[in-house]
Amino acid sequence: MDCRVYEKARACLYALLPTLLLLNTQARADDGDEAPTPIRLGNYELGRGLPLGDSGFTVGGYATARYDDVRGRDPRVTADHLSLMLWWEGGGRLKFFSETDFEESLATKRTGPDEERFLALERFYFDYTVNDTATVRVGKFLTPIGRWNPIHADPLVWTTSRPMVTHAVFPGYATGVMLQGTTEIGEREMDYSVYVSSGTELRRKPAEDPFTEARGVHFNLPVSSKLQVGLSLVDFEQDQTRGERKRLAGMDFLWTHNRWEISGEGIYRGSSAGAPHTEKGGFVQVVAPLRGRLYAVGRFEQMRLDGTDHPARNWVAGLNYRYDRALSLKAEVVGGSHLPDGTPEGLLASISVLF
């Protein structure tokens, strides 16, 4: 990382620190022991969605404003995401969910083609509850690999940037059928997802290389009250490399204790095209409570990507002021070596609201 960029990013992060501390001292909860006061607009509580009368429909979503000051680009501010969610629960076995996302709807500077500004169909599916342990989902859904991708919404993740292992190795969306639910393993309940995709992508993103075929499973087992461990297995083919079979195996974990959090994901993706096309890597992320609702976040990642001679290494150091699940402010410095084109190095900051 260029030293001048690092110094500039560090100075900006220090400049943001007093603001985050001021917000933190104004929080009513002392060291996060008490739940924060919900943000209300009349009878509406931020982050809970707005019921549309007695129709069974609820509307919600999230919005993110982002500031980037990274190497090789001019500083810019963007409306990074404007997501609208609509779901229906009629009281029976059948449910419906959809999400559309207007990406980079506003920006002070454009860094690429107009395709960056795109109205994406993120999710569109129907759920049918078979019984207490099984639900059938049909439509377009988030690919259940690891932990980061299924969480999805900006207010619910700790950093503005996203680890490479969560988006560069597999398509983020699948269109098909999924069976999901819980089953007992000894004295514990394990979450499971089993899915197939025929590759008929609904409203695909221009930059996305979608599945043409996929078969996969994901399991998540609570090992203890503090530790969860997940396993992902998927066999698939993608549109831009038809005829090349890819087999991915991944593990993930989440450990939490007294508002501390350590998480990570690792993957190995083999290819029928041979060893040079193998991709593998992973990350570890630590979240440490500072005071009230202010957290320090650190992450290190290493990834060996197809077509590269050296593993990419990426690190993140930042702060997150999380008022509650509906509102978070983030600022971080990102750096690394042998990073793929387009990976930011510098200062990233954002404010995200779940509504």
Side-chain angles (χ1 to χ4, degrees), residues 18-256:
T19 302
L20 294 174
L21 290 173
L22 178 61
L23 287 169
N24 195 58
T25 57
Q26 292 176 342
R28 294 185 182 180
D30 183 17
D31 290 334
D33 292 335
E34 300 177 11
T37 303
I39 302 174
R40 294 182 179 276
L41 300 174
N43 294 326
Y44 167 69
E45 181 180 329
L46 195 66
R48 297 296 181 182
L50 179 65
L52 301 180
D54 298 327
S55 65
F57 283 95
T58 303
V59 63
Y62 69 93
T64 299
R66 173 168 165 165
Y67 172 77
D68 293 4
D69 189 356
V70 300
R71 186 174 67 177
R73 303 178 189 174
D74 294 328
R76 68 176 192 147
V77 177
T78 61
D80 198 40
H81 292 283
L82 180 56
S83 172
L84 180 66
M85 302 177 187
L86 178 68
W87 62 95
W88 174 78
E89 299 180 0
R93 294 176 179 266
L94 186 66
K95 298 179 182 179
F96 166 77
F97 184 93
S98 71
E99 179 186 3
T100 56
D101 185 12
F102 197 4
E103 300 182 356
E104 296 211 6
S105 54
L106 297 172
T108 56
K109 291 182 180 292
R110 293 288 172 188
T111 61
D114 289 339
E115 287 182 344
E116 290 184 351
R117 183 163 46 182
F118 184 74
L119 182 62
L121 180 62
E122 301 275 314
R123 289 180 278 180
F124 187 94
Y125 58 77
F126 291 89
D127 280 348
Y128 182 80
T129 303
V130 179
N131 52 44
D132 292 339
T133 62
T135 297
V136 176
R137 177 167 295 176
V138 179
K140 182 175 182 178
F141 44 84
L142 298 170
T143 308
I145 295 177
R147 294 185 178 274
W148 194 290
N149 198 62
I151 292 175
H152 181 68
D154 288 345
L156 305 181
V157 297
W158 287 105
T159 59
T160 300
S161 60
R162 181 171 178 169
M164 291 177 287
V165 71
T166 67
H167 69 90
V169 188
F170 59 88
Y173 309 90
T175 301
V177 180
M178 178 164 63
L179 177 67
Q180 62 180 3
T182 58
T183 185
E184 291 188 0
I185 301 294
E187 297 180 351
R188 304 193 180 279
E189 291 188 343
M190 181 180 71
D191 298 326
Y192 69 88
S193 300
V194 182
Y195 58 98
V196 294
S197 174
S198 62
T200 306
E201 186 66 59
L202 300 175
R203 185 65 180 174
R204 58 173 288 189
K205 295 183 179 181
E208 183 89 0
D209 184 11
F211 291 120
T212 56
E213 181 185 351
R215 300 184 298 271
V217 297
H218 180 262
F219 304 106
N220 182 63
L221 178 65
V223 178
S224 67
S225 60
K226 299 176 183 178
L227 177 64
Q228 300 178 37
V229 176
L231 172 67
S232 303
L233 300 171
V234 57
D235 179 278
F236 64 98
E237 184 177 305
Q238 288 176 267
D239 184 64
Q240 295 179 13
T241 51
R242 290 176 180 267
E244 178 186 350
R245 300 299 303 181
K246 301 173 183 178
R247 294 177 176 85
L248 182 149
M251 293 195 68
D252 59 83
F253 73 92
L254 173 65
W255 177 87
T256 57

Side-chain angles (χ1 to χ4, degrees), residues 251-295:
M251 293 195 68
D252 59 83
F253 73 92
L254 173 65
W255 177 87
T256 57
H257 179 66
N258 289 340
R259 297 170 56 228
W260 282 79
E261 179 179 302
I262 302 176
S263 62
E265 297 185 28
I267 63 95
Y268 179 91
R269 196 193 75 183
S271 170
S272 62
H277 298 277
T278 297
E279 298 191 336
K280 56 186 177 180
F283 75 88
V284 174
Q285 178 174 277
V286 178
V287 178
L290 297 179
R291 181 173 174 79
R293 298 168 200 150
L294 184 64
Y295 297 82

